[in-house]
Short mmCIF file of all heavy atoms in Angstrom, two decimals:
data_model
loop_
_atom_site.label_atom_id
_atom_site.label_comp_id
_atom_site.label_asym_id
_atom_site.label_seq_id
_atom_site.Cartn_x
_atom_site.Cartn_y
_atom_site.Cartn_z
N LEU A 1 -41.50 -0.99 27.84
CA LEU A 1 -41.03 -0.39 26.58
C LEU A 1 -42.19 0.37 25.93
O LEU A 1 -43.25 -0.19 25.71
CB LEU A 1 -40.51 -1.47 25.64
CG LEU A 1 -39.27 -2.20 26.09
CD1 LEU A 1 -38.92 -3.30 25.09
CD2 LEU A 1 -38.10 -1.25 26.23
N TYR A 2 -41.97 1.64 25.67
CA TYR A 2 -42.94 2.47 24.98
C TYR A 2 -42.38 2.80 23.60
O TYR A 2 -41.18 3.02 23.45
CB TYR A 2 -43.19 3.79 25.75
CG TYR A 2 -43.91 3.58 27.04
CD1 TYR A 2 -43.22 3.51 28.25
CD2 TYR A 2 -45.29 3.44 27.05
CE1 TYR A 2 -43.87 3.31 29.43
CE2 TYR A 2 -45.95 3.24 28.24
CZ TYR A 2 -45.25 3.18 29.44
OH TYR A 2 -45.92 2.99 30.61
N PRO A 3 -43.22 2.84 22.62
CA PRO A 3 -42.71 3.21 21.29
C PRO A 3 -42.16 4.64 21.33
O PRO A 3 -42.76 5.53 21.93
CB PRO A 3 -43.90 3.12 20.36
CG PRO A 3 -45.05 2.67 21.18
CD PRO A 3 -44.63 2.56 22.60
N ARG A 4 -41.02 4.82 20.71
CA ARG A 4 -40.41 6.14 20.62
C ARG A 4 -41.22 6.94 19.61
O ARG A 4 -41.49 6.48 18.51
CB ARG A 4 -38.97 6.02 20.16
CG ARG A 4 -38.28 7.37 20.01
CD ARG A 4 -36.87 7.22 19.62
NE ARG A 4 -36.16 6.61 20.75
CZ ARG A 4 -34.97 6.08 20.67
NH1 ARG A 4 -34.34 6.05 19.52
NH2 ARG A 4 -34.38 5.56 21.72
N PRO A 5 -41.62 8.15 19.97
CA PRO A 5 -42.37 8.96 18.99
C PRO A 5 -41.48 9.27 17.80
O PRO A 5 -40.32 9.64 17.96
CB PRO A 5 -42.75 10.23 19.76
CG PRO A 5 -41.85 10.26 20.95
CD PRO A 5 -41.40 8.86 21.22
N LYS A 6 -42.03 9.07 16.65
CA LYS A 6 -41.27 9.36 15.44
C LYS A 6 -41.12 10.86 15.32
O LYS A 6 -42.04 11.62 15.57
CB LYS A 6 -41.98 8.80 14.21
CG LYS A 6 -42.02 7.30 14.19
CD LYS A 6 -42.59 6.79 12.93
CE LYS A 6 -42.55 5.27 12.94
NZ LYS A 6 -43.04 4.71 11.71
N SER A 7 -39.96 11.24 14.92
CA SER A 7 -39.68 12.66 14.80
C SER A 7 -40.43 13.22 13.60
O SER A 7 -40.35 12.70 12.49
CB SER A 7 -38.19 12.88 14.64
OG SER A 7 -37.95 14.25 14.42
N LEU A 8 -41.16 14.26 13.84
CA LEU A 8 -41.86 14.94 12.76
C LEU A 8 -40.99 16.01 12.12
O LEU A 8 -41.34 16.57 11.09
CB LEU A 8 -43.15 15.58 13.29
CG LEU A 8 -44.20 14.60 13.80
CD1 LEU A 8 -45.38 15.38 14.37
CD2 LEU A 8 -44.68 13.68 12.70
N LEU A 9 -39.86 16.28 12.76
CA LEU A 9 -38.99 17.34 12.28
C LEU A 9 -38.54 17.14 10.84
O LEU A 9 -38.67 18.07 10.03
CB LEU A 9 -37.80 17.52 13.22
CG LEU A 9 -36.92 18.72 12.95
CD1 LEU A 9 -37.74 20.00 13.05
CD2 LEU A 9 -35.76 18.77 13.93
N PRO A 10 -38.04 15.96 10.45
CA PRO A 10 -37.64 15.82 9.05
C PRO A 10 -38.81 16.01 8.08
O PRO A 10 -38.68 16.67 7.05
CB PRO A 10 -37.09 14.39 8.95
CG PRO A 10 -36.70 14.03 10.34
CD PRO A 10 -37.65 14.78 11.23
N LYS A 11 -39.98 15.47 8.44
CA LYS A 11 -41.14 15.65 7.56
C LYS A 11 -41.55 17.11 7.51
O LYS A 11 -41.89 17.64 6.46
CB LYS A 11 -42.32 14.80 8.06
CG LYS A 11 -42.17 13.33 7.77
CD LYS A 11 -43.39 12.58 8.19
CE LYS A 11 -43.21 11.10 7.93
NZ LYS A 11 -44.34 10.31 8.38
N MET A 12 -41.51 17.77 8.67
CA MET A 12 -41.88 19.18 8.71
C MET A 12 -40.88 20.00 7.92
O MET A 12 -41.24 20.92 7.20
CB MET A 12 -41.98 19.67 10.15
CG MET A 12 -43.19 19.13 10.89
SD MET A 12 -43.22 19.54 12.64
CE MET A 12 -43.05 21.29 12.63
N MET A 13 -39.60 19.64 8.05
CA MET A 13 -38.59 20.38 7.30
C MET A 13 -38.77 20.16 5.81
O MET A 13 -38.67 21.11 5.03
CB MET A 13 -37.19 19.96 7.75
CG MET A 13 -36.82 20.48 9.13
SD MET A 13 -35.23 19.91 9.70
CE MET A 13 -34.15 20.68 8.52
N ASN A 14 -39.04 18.92 5.42
CA ASN A 14 -39.29 18.64 4.01
C ASN A 14 -40.54 19.37 3.54
O ASN A 14 -40.57 19.94 2.45
CB ASN A 14 -39.45 17.13 3.76
CG ASN A 14 -38.12 16.41 3.78
OD1 ASN A 14 -37.08 17.03 3.64
ND2 ASN A 14 -38.17 15.11 3.98
N ALA A 15 -41.59 19.35 4.38
CA ALA A 15 -42.82 20.07 4.02
C ALA A 15 -42.55 21.56 3.92
O ALA A 15 -43.02 22.23 3.01
CB ALA A 15 -43.91 19.78 5.04
N ASP A 16 -41.77 22.08 4.89
CA ASP A 16 -41.42 23.51 4.84
C ASP A 16 -40.62 23.83 3.59
O ASP A 16 -40.83 24.86 2.95
CB ASP A 16 -40.62 23.92 6.08
CG ASP A 16 -41.48 24.02 7.33
OD1 ASP A 16 -42.72 24.06 7.17
OD2 ASP A 16 -40.92 24.06 8.43
N MET A 17 -39.69 22.93 3.25
CA MET A 17 -38.89 23.18 2.05
C MET A 17 -39.78 23.10 0.81
O MET A 17 -39.61 23.87 -0.12
CB MET A 17 -37.73 22.18 1.97
CG MET A 17 -36.69 22.46 3.04
SD MET A 17 -35.14 21.54 2.97
CE MET A 17 -35.48 20.02 2.20
N ASP A 18 -40.73 22.17 0.80
CA ASP A 18 -41.66 22.08 -0.33
C ASP A 18 -42.51 23.34 -0.40
O ASP A 18 -42.72 23.89 -1.47
CB ASP A 18 -42.58 20.85 -0.19
CG ASP A 18 -41.83 19.54 -0.44
OD1 ASP A 18 -40.71 19.60 -0.99
OD2 ASP A 18 -42.37 18.48 -0.07
N VAL A 19 -43.00 23.79 0.76
CA VAL A 19 -43.82 25.00 0.81
C VAL A 19 -42.97 26.20 0.38
O VAL A 19 -43.43 27.04 -0.40
CB VAL A 19 -44.41 25.21 2.22
CG1 VAL A 19 -45.02 26.60 2.36
CG2 VAL A 19 -45.46 24.14 2.53
N ASP A 20 -41.72 26.26 0.89
CA ASP A 20 -40.84 27.36 0.48
C ASP A 20 -40.58 27.32 -1.01
O ASP A 20 -40.57 28.36 -1.68
CB ASP A 20 -39.51 27.29 1.25
CG ASP A 20 -39.66 27.70 2.71
OD1 ASP A 20 -40.69 28.31 3.04
OD2 ASP A 20 -38.75 27.40 3.50
N ALA A 21 -40.36 26.12 -1.56
CA ALA A 21 -40.13 26.00 -3.00
C ALA A 21 -41.38 26.42 -3.77
O ALA A 21 -41.29 27.13 -4.77
CB ALA A 21 -39.74 24.57 -3.36
N GLU A 22 -42.55 25.99 -3.28
CA GLU A 22 -43.81 26.38 -3.94
C GLU A 22 -44.01 27.89 -3.84
O GLU A 22 -44.42 28.53 -4.81
CB GLU A 22 -44.99 25.65 -3.30
CG GLU A 22 -45.06 24.18 -3.64
CD GLU A 22 -46.16 23.45 -2.90
OE1 GLU A 22 -46.99 24.12 -2.25
OE2 GLU A 22 -46.19 22.21 -2.95
N ASN A 23 -43.74 28.44 -2.65
CA ASN A 23 -43.87 29.88 -2.47
C ASN A 23 -42.91 30.63 -3.38
O ASN A 23 -43.25 31.67 -3.94
CB ASN A 23 -43.62 30.28 -1.01
CG ASN A 23 -44.79 29.93 -0.11
OD1 ASN A 23 -45.89 29.68 -0.58
ND2 ASN A 23 -44.54 29.88 1.17
N GLN A 24 -41.69 30.09 -3.51
CA GLN A 24 -40.70 30.71 -4.38
C GLN A 24 -41.19 30.70 -5.82
O GLN A 24 -41.07 31.70 -6.53
CB GLN A 24 -39.35 29.99 -4.25
CG GLN A 24 -38.24 30.60 -5.05
CD GLN A 24 -37.85 31.98 -4.56
OE1 GLN A 24 -38.03 32.30 -3.39
NE2 GLN A 24 -37.33 32.80 -5.43
N VAL A 25 -41.73 29.56 -6.25
CA VAL A 25 -42.24 29.46 -7.62
C VAL A 25 -43.40 30.42 -7.82
O VAL A 25 -43.48 31.12 -8.83
CB VAL A 25 -42.67 28.00 -7.93
CG1 VAL A 25 -43.45 27.91 -9.22
CG2 VAL A 25 -41.45 27.09 -7.97
N GLU A 26 -44.31 30.47 -6.84
CA GLU A 26 -45.44 31.39 -6.93
C GLU A 26 -44.97 32.84 -6.96
O GLU A 26 -45.48 33.65 -7.73
CB GLU A 26 -46.40 31.18 -5.75
CG GLU A 26 -47.24 29.93 -5.85
CD GLU A 26 -48.17 29.76 -4.66
OE1 GLU A 26 -48.35 30.74 -3.89
OE2 GLU A 26 -48.71 28.66 -4.52
N LEU A 27 -43.99 33.15 -6.12
CA LEU A 27 -43.45 34.51 -6.07
C LEU A 27 -42.81 34.88 -7.40
O LEU A 27 -43.02 35.99 -7.91
CB LEU A 27 -42.44 34.64 -4.94
CG LEU A 27 -41.82 36.01 -4.73
CD1 LEU A 27 -42.89 37.02 -4.38
CD2 LEU A 27 -40.77 35.95 -3.64
N GLU A 28 -42.04 33.96 -7.98
CA GLU A 28 -41.42 34.22 -9.28
C GLU A 28 -42.47 34.40 -10.36
O GLU A 28 -42.36 35.28 -11.22
CB GLU A 28 -40.47 33.08 -9.65
CG GLU A 28 -39.21 33.06 -8.82
CD GLU A 28 -38.36 31.82 -9.06
OE1 GLU A 28 -38.76 30.96 -9.87
OE2 GLU A 28 -37.29 31.71 -8.42
N GLU A 29 -43.53 33.59 -10.31
CA GLU A 29 -44.62 33.70 -11.30
C GLU A 29 -45.34 35.04 -11.15
O GLU A 29 -45.62 35.72 -12.13
CB GLU A 29 -45.59 32.54 -11.13
CG GLU A 29 -46.75 32.54 -12.10
CD GLU A 29 -46.35 32.27 -13.54
OE1 GLU A 29 -45.20 31.85 -13.79
OE2 GLU A 29 -47.19 32.50 -14.42
N LYS A 30 -45.62 35.43 -9.90
CA LYS A 30 -46.27 36.73 -9.65
C LYS A 30 -45.39 37.87 -10.14
O LYS A 30 -45.88 38.81 -10.77
CB LYS A 30 -46.57 36.90 -8.16
CG LYS A 30 -47.74 36.09 -7.69
CD LYS A 30 -47.97 36.31 -6.20
CE LYS A 30 -49.11 35.46 -5.69
NZ LYS A 30 -49.33 35.62 -4.25
N THR A 31 -44.09 37.79 -9.86
CA THR A 31 -43.16 38.83 -10.30
C THR A 31 -43.13 38.92 -11.81
O THR A 31 -43.16 40.01 -12.38
CB THR A 31 -41.75 38.54 -9.75
OG1 THR A 31 -41.82 38.45 -8.33
CG2 THR A 31 -40.78 39.62 -10.15
N ARG A 32 -43.10 37.76 -12.47
CA ARG A 32 -43.09 37.73 -13.94
C ARG A 32 -44.38 38.35 -14.49
O ARG A 32 -44.34 39.17 -15.41
CB ARG A 32 -42.94 36.29 -14.44
CG ARG A 32 -42.77 36.18 -15.95
CD ARG A 32 -42.78 34.74 -16.43
NE ARG A 32 -44.05 34.09 -16.23
CZ ARG A 32 -45.12 34.26 -17.02
NH1 ARG A 32 -45.07 35.09 -18.02
NH2 ARG A 32 -46.24 33.63 -16.77
N LEU A 33 -45.52 38.00 -13.88
CA LEU A 33 -46.79 38.55 -14.35
C LEU A 33 -46.88 40.06 -14.11
O LEU A 33 -47.38 40.80 -14.96
CB LEU A 33 -47.95 37.83 -13.68
CG LEU A 33 -48.19 36.39 -14.14
CD1 LEU A 33 -49.25 35.72 -13.27
CD2 LEU A 33 -48.59 36.33 -15.60
N ILE A 34 -46.40 40.50 -12.96
CA ILE A 34 -46.42 41.94 -12.66
C ILE A 34 -45.56 42.69 -13.67
O ILE A 34 -45.97 43.74 -14.19
CB ILE A 34 -45.96 42.19 -11.21
CG1 ILE A 34 -47.04 41.74 -10.24
CG2 ILE A 34 -45.60 43.66 -11.01
CD1 ILE A 34 -46.61 41.74 -8.79
N ASN A 35 -44.38 42.16 -13.95
CA ASN A 35 -43.50 42.80 -14.94
C ASN A 35 -44.15 42.82 -16.32
O ASN A 35 -44.04 43.81 -17.05
CB ASN A 35 -42.15 42.10 -15.00
CG ASN A 35 -41.31 42.37 -13.77
OD1 ASN A 35 -41.49 43.38 -13.10
ND2 ASN A 35 -40.40 41.48 -13.47
N GLN A 36 -44.84 41.74 -16.66
CA GLN A 36 -45.51 41.68 -17.96
C GLN A 36 -46.64 42.71 -18.01
O GLN A 36 -46.81 43.41 -19.02
CB GLN A 36 -46.05 40.28 -18.20
CG GLN A 36 -46.60 40.06 -19.58
CD GLN A 36 -47.06 38.62 -19.80
OE1 GLN A 36 -47.07 37.82 -18.88
NE2 GLN A 36 -47.43 38.31 -21.01
N VAL A 37 -47.41 42.84 -16.93
CA VAL A 37 -48.49 43.83 -16.88
C VAL A 37 -47.92 45.24 -16.99
O VAL A 37 -48.46 46.08 -17.74
CB VAL A 37 -49.32 43.67 -15.57
CG1 VAL A 37 -50.20 44.87 -15.33
CG2 VAL A 37 -50.15 42.39 -15.63
N LEU A 38 -46.83 45.51 -16.27
CA LEU A 38 -46.22 46.84 -16.35
C LEU A 38 -45.72 47.15 -17.75
O LEU A 38 -45.90 48.27 -18.25
CB LEU A 38 -45.07 46.95 -15.34
CG LEU A 38 -45.49 46.97 -13.87
CD1 LEU A 38 -44.26 46.92 -12.96
CD2 LEU A 38 -46.33 48.20 -13.56
N GLU A 39 -45.13 46.15 -18.40
CA GLU A 39 -44.65 46.34 -19.77
C GLU A 39 -45.82 46.63 -20.71
O GLU A 39 -45.74 47.53 -21.55
CB GLU A 39 -43.89 45.09 -20.22
CG GLU A 39 -43.29 45.22 -21.60
CD GLU A 39 -42.53 43.95 -22.00
OE1 GLU A 39 -42.11 43.19 -21.13
OE2 GLU A 39 -42.36 43.78 -23.22
N LEU A 40 -46.91 45.90 -20.53
CA LEU A 40 -48.09 46.13 -21.37
C LEU A 40 -48.70 47.50 -21.10
O LEU A 40 -49.18 48.16 -22.03
CB LEU A 40 -49.13 45.03 -21.15
CG LEU A 40 -48.75 43.65 -21.70
CD1 LEU A 40 -49.74 42.60 -21.23
CD2 LEU A 40 -48.65 43.67 -23.21
N GLN A 41 -48.68 47.95 -19.84
CA GLN A 41 -49.18 49.29 -19.52
C GLN A 41 -48.35 50.36 -20.22
O GLN A 41 -48.89 51.32 -20.77
CB GLN A 41 -49.17 49.52 -18.01
CG GLN A 41 -50.30 48.85 -17.28
CD GLN A 41 -50.24 49.08 -15.78
OE1 GLN A 41 -49.20 49.44 -15.23
NE2 GLN A 41 -51.36 48.87 -15.12
N HIS A 42 -47.03 50.18 -20.19
CA HIS A 42 -46.15 51.16 -20.86
C HIS A 42 -46.39 51.14 -22.37
O HIS A 42 -46.42 52.20 -23.00
CB HIS A 42 -44.68 50.87 -20.56
CG HIS A 42 -44.31 51.10 -19.12
ND1 HIS A 42 -44.49 52.31 -18.48
CD2 HIS A 42 -43.77 50.27 -18.20
CE1 HIS A 42 -44.08 52.22 -17.23
NE2 HIS A 42 -43.65 50.99 -17.03
N THR A 43 -46.58 49.97 -22.93
CA THR A 43 -46.86 49.86 -24.36
C THR A 43 -48.18 50.57 -24.69
O THR A 43 -48.26 51.29 -25.68
CB THR A 43 -46.93 48.38 -24.78
OG1 THR A 43 -45.68 47.76 -24.47
CG2 THR A 43 -47.20 48.25 -26.26
N LEU A 44 -49.19 50.37 -23.85
CA LEU A 44 -50.48 51.02 -24.06
C LEU A 44 -50.34 52.54 -23.96
O LEU A 44 -50.91 53.27 -24.79
CB LEU A 44 -51.50 50.51 -23.04
CG LEU A 44 -52.90 51.09 -23.13
CD1 LEU A 44 -53.52 50.79 -24.49
CD2 LEU A 44 -53.77 50.55 -22.01
N GLU A 45 -49.57 53.01 -23.00
CA GLU A 45 -49.35 54.45 -22.86
C GLU A 45 -48.66 55.01 -24.11
O GLU A 45 -49.03 56.07 -24.61
CB GLU A 45 -48.50 54.75 -21.62
CG GLU A 45 -49.23 54.54 -20.32
CD GLU A 45 -48.31 54.65 -19.10
OE1 GLU A 45 -47.09 54.83 -19.28
OE2 GLU A 45 -48.82 54.53 -17.99
N ASP A 46 -47.66 54.28 -24.61
CA ASP A 46 -46.94 54.72 -25.81
C ASP A 46 -47.88 54.76 -27.02
O ASP A 46 -47.85 55.71 -27.81
CB ASP A 46 -45.75 53.79 -26.10
CG ASP A 46 -44.65 53.90 -25.06
OD1 ASP A 46 -44.65 54.89 -24.28
OD2 ASP A 46 -43.80 52.99 -25.00
#
């Protein structure tokens, strides 16, 4: 009897989902900051 290797797939999927969620949050934050910078640039131009 050999120990069955534990599947890393669920952990990897959870990690991927966590990374995807973190990336999504970072992407939304970057988008929000870019929009804010563009708005401030337009205000400065005005």
